[in-house]
Amino acid sequence: MCGIVGYVGTQQALPILIEGLRRLEYRGYDSAGIVLFEGNSLTAEKSAGKINKLEEILRGKTFNATEGIAHTRWATHGEPTDLNAHPHFDCKNKIALVHNGIIENYRALKVVLEKQGHKIGTDTDTEILVHLIEEYYEGNLTEAVRMALTQVEGTYGIAVISSYEPGKIIAARKGSPLVIGHGQGENFVASDVSAILAHTKRAVYLNEGEIVTVTADGYVITTIDKVHRTPHVEEISWTLDMIEKGGYNHFMLKEIHEQPSTLGNAIRGRLNFEEGIPRLNGLNLQYDQLRRIKRIIITACGTSWHSALIGEYMIEELAKIPVEVEYASEFRYRSPVIEEGTILFVISQSGETADTLAALREARRRGVTVLGICNMVGSSIARETDGGVYIHAGPEIGVASTKAFTSQIMVLALITVLLGRMRHLSVQQGMDLMHSLQAIPEKVDRILQKEAEIKKIAERYYKTNNFLYLGRGINFPVALEGALKLKEISYIHAEGYPAAEMKHGPIALIDKNLPVVVIALRDSVYDKVLSNIAEIKARNGQIIAIANEGDTEIAERVDHVIYIRLFPCNFLPIIWRY
Ligand code: F6R
């Protein structure tokens, strides 16, 4: 994903921008660029490849600039080349622009601009936008940006500087997040707070369709329709340590190890043992409103969709409310039937996923109450929902979601207990469930202590091309998530299946070269999972079982066992066994 950082103030802009780009590296990118306002003109450097390469190009050159914008690009339109890297310029090199998102109607705009005499040199959709700004420029950069944006279809988070109007960054957003960092005699623009956290903890999140003119002394926000907006400054609670690796080799490993504390954060202050009812005031729903819920739809993408499936199992089992889980990308484009009494939950770590946001808006247009389960405070999803619950997992920098997944499940478990208590669960059951949840962080810590043992298994199989993950019941979505993580991080093809479905096709793939991860916990379907294990072994498949501590029997049937006391997402067995 692309990243933007901009600075205007009194300090040298270059080191601030390079540091900002480094903090955005985790998002993935294939080229980087920077433009500074220096003397009377714009000076830019950009290159395909890593930020180190850009720094090499900049090494030895001296700059004296207190204003600039920078970008990390993830190519969508046009190859990742030096030329296609941002910033992009107008014909006279007077206006520079960086852009996150996609300009969908760029081809049509290009034809018109070329007829008007603009020379368009790159393959990007972005360059069109800077020429459009040039076309509208008549002495007011903010107005030219606004006019250009009225012509654009698609999504954007942009930052623009110009030698016509030094000391200003114009930024705007639609479908791609942007935040203003509020400093003292200096201000920042970024696509993500981590880019500016080293300099300020005061942030103003731009809303959809807003344009901001940022100077060293302040910022003025208007909508694309010229309505003035009063900025709302939020204090960021994150510290710099939270966005650094803290001695781990990479962020994903750090975040995996953070789970005992992030799971603790998800329940902190929320367990009301006296009444056996979790405190989730952010839902903004009174008990009678909770009792009137007839049906729940949960929508999300990727890993968050997997936690939604786990939520479905938990809520239907304990609160007896029908739940439907749908990919946000499907929900937004079809015409779902939403009956009276339905509420919709959206789950998103980032709070900015375009499909989830669009699904949320579609549901709200239909008059449905939409509640969020979100990590990023102040994100679009957090702001546009009627209420919700923050998971408080802290920044998830690793590209693959890990700690957010388990915290989402923890919050879904709290919601389950709350809904259950409004219906069938007794005070005692509510209390027991909350005690079970409170015990989870410590159990996760015990699992993490098995790192070396798990690593040995990984070393044995890392050259394999395919993997199968199997689980039944609530562990079926866990299997899906396991397979997704493996694909995403190790580039090994992996499939997640409900264990019983294996015989309806995938069994054909099983041989001695196919490792199968089987979640085989001592729950109500344990014996059935043992039958699946026998089927795999009959075809010489290699089995890595995840089983409950004390289950010595399973060790005789499989190749490797990872013993756990309880799985955090395996909530129902927790109830039976606590
Ligand atoms: C997988 C992963 C993605 C995200 C998905 C939704 O490891 O990270 O599948 O879960 O893109 O993102 P959020 O939760 O931010 O809406």
Side-chain angles (χ1 to χ4, degrees), residues 301-304 347-351 353 356 399-401 408 481 484-485 488:
C301 302
T303 291
S304 299
I347 307 181
S348 175
Q349 185 283 124
S350 61
T353 301
T356 312
V399 75
S401 192
Q408 287 165 349
E481 176 60 10
L484 175 66
K485 286 292 95 95
E488 202 180 1

Coordinates of all heavy atoms in Angstrom, one line a residue, residues 301-304 347-351 353 356 399-401 408 481 484-485 488, ligand 1:
C301 N -13.5 -8.1 5.9 CA -12.6 -8.7 4.9 C -11.5 -9.5 5.5 O -11.1 -9.2 6.6 CB -12.0 -7.6 4.0 SG -13.1 -6.5 3.2
G302 N -11.0 -10.5 4.8 CA -9.8 -11.2 5.2 C -9.8 -11.8 6.6 O -10.8 -12.5 7.0
T303 N -8.8 -11.5 7.3 CA -8.7 -12.1 8.7 C -9.9 -11.6 9.6 O -10.4 -12.4 10.4 CB -7.4 -11.6 9.3 OG1 -6.3 -12.3 8.6 CG2 -7.3 -11.9 10.8
S304 N -10.3 -10.4 9.4 CA -11.4 -9.9 10.2 C -12.7 -10.7 9.8 O -13.6 -10.8 10.7 CB -11.7 -8.4 9.9 OG -10.5 -7.7 10.3
I347 N -16.3 -5.4 11.2 CA -15.0 -5.7 11.9 C -13.8 -5.2 11.0 O -13.8 -5.6 9.8 CB -14.9 -7.2 12.2 CG1 -16.1 -7.7 13.0 CG2 -13.6 -7.4 13.1 CD1 -16.0 -9.1 13.4
S348 N -13.0 -4.4 11.6 CA -11.8 -4.0 10.8 C -10.7 -3.6 11.7 O -10.9 -2.7 12.6 CB -12.2 -2.8 9.9 OG -11.1 -2.3 9.2
Q349 N -9.5 -4.1 11.5 CA -8.4 -3.7 12.3 C -8.1 -2.2 12.0 O -8.0 -1.4 12.9 CB -7.2 -4.6 12.0 CG -5.9 -4.3 12.8 CD -5.1 -3.1 12.4 OE1 -4.9 -2.2 13.3 NE2 -4.8 -3.0 11.2
S350 N -7.9 -1.9 10.7 CA -7.4 -0.6 10.3 C -8.5 0.4 10.4 O -8.3 1.6 10.6 CB -7.0 -0.7 8.9 OG -8.0 -1.1 8.0
G351 N -9.8 0.0 10.3 CA -10.9 0.9 10.2 C -11.0 1.7 8.9 O -11.7 2.7 8.8
T353 N -10.6 -0.1 5.6 CA -10.7 -1.0 4.5 C -11.9 -0.6 3.6 O -13.1 -0.5 4.1 CB -10.9 -2.5 5.0 OG1 -9.7 -2.8 5.7 CG2 -11.0 -3.5 3.8
T356 N -15.2 -2.6 3.4 CA -15.9 -2.7 4.7 C -16.6 -1.3 5.0 O -17.7 -1.3 5.4 CB -14.9 -3.0 5.9 OG1 -14.2 -4.1 5.5 CG2 -15.6 -3.3 7.2
V399 N 2.4 -6.8 8.2 CA 1.4 -6.8 7.2 C 0.3 -7.8 7.4 O -0.9 -7.6 7.0 CB 2.1 -6.9 5.8 CG1 2.5 -8.3 5.5 CG2 1.2 -6.3 4.7
A400 N 0.6 -8.9 8.1 CA -0.4 -9.9 8.3 C -1.0 -9.7 9.7 O -0.3 -9.5 10.7 CB 0.2 -11.3 8.2
S401 N -2.3 -9.7 9.7 CA -3.0 -9.5 11.0 C -2.8 -10.7 12.0 O -3.0 -11.8 11.6 CB -4.5 -9.3 10.7 OG -5.1 -8.8 11.8
Q408 N -10.0 -9.3 18.3 CA -11.3 -9.2 17.7 C -12.2 -10.3 18.3 O -13.4 -10.1 18.6 CB -11.3 -9.3 16.2 CG -10.7 -8.1 15.5 CD -10.4 -8.4 14.0 OE1 -10.3 -9.5 13.6 NE2 -10.1 -7.4 13.3
E481 N -8.1 -19.2 8.8 CA -7.1 -18.2 9.2 C -5.7 -18.7 9.1 O -4.8 -18.0 8.7 CB -7.5 -17.6 10.6 CG -6.5 -16.6 11.1 CD -6.4 -15.3 10.3 OE1 -7.1 -15.1 9.3 OE2 -5.4 -14.5 10.6
L484 N -4.6 -18.8 5.6 CA -4.4 -17.5 5.1 C -3.0 -17.0 5.5 O -2.2 -16.4 4.7 CB -5.5 -16.5 5.5 CG -5.3 -15.1 5.1 CD1 -5.4 -14.9 3.6 CD2 -6.4 -14.2 5.8
K485 N -2.7 -17.2 6.8 CA -1.4 -16.7 7.3 C -0.3 -17.3 6.6 O 0.7 -16.7 6.2 CB -1.3 -16.9 8.8 CG -2.1 -16.1 9.7 CD -1.7 -14.6 9.8 CE -2.5 -13.8 8.8 NZ -3.7 -13.1 9.4
E488 N 0.1 -16.0 3.0 CA 0.5 -14.6 2.9 C 1.9 -14.4 3.3 O 2.6 -13.6 2.7 CB -0.4 -13.9 3.9 CG -0.6 -12.4 3.7 CD -1.5 -11.8 4.8 OE1 -2.0 -12.5 5.7 OE2 -1.7 -10.6 4.7
Ligands
F6R1 C1 -4.5 -10.9 6.6 C2 -4.8 -9.5 6.6 C3 -6.0 -9.0 5.8 C4 -6.9 -8.1 6.6 C5 -7.9 -7.5 5.6 C6 -8.9 -6.6 6.4 O1 -3.4 -11.2 7.4 O2 -4.2 -8.7 7.3 O3 -6.7 -10.1 5.3 O4 -7.4 -8.8 7.6 O5 -7.3 -6.7 4.6 O6 -8.3 -5.6 7.0 P1 -9.0 -4.7 8.2 O7 -9.2 -5.6 9.3 O8 -8.0 -3.7 8.5 O9 -10.3 -4.2 7.6

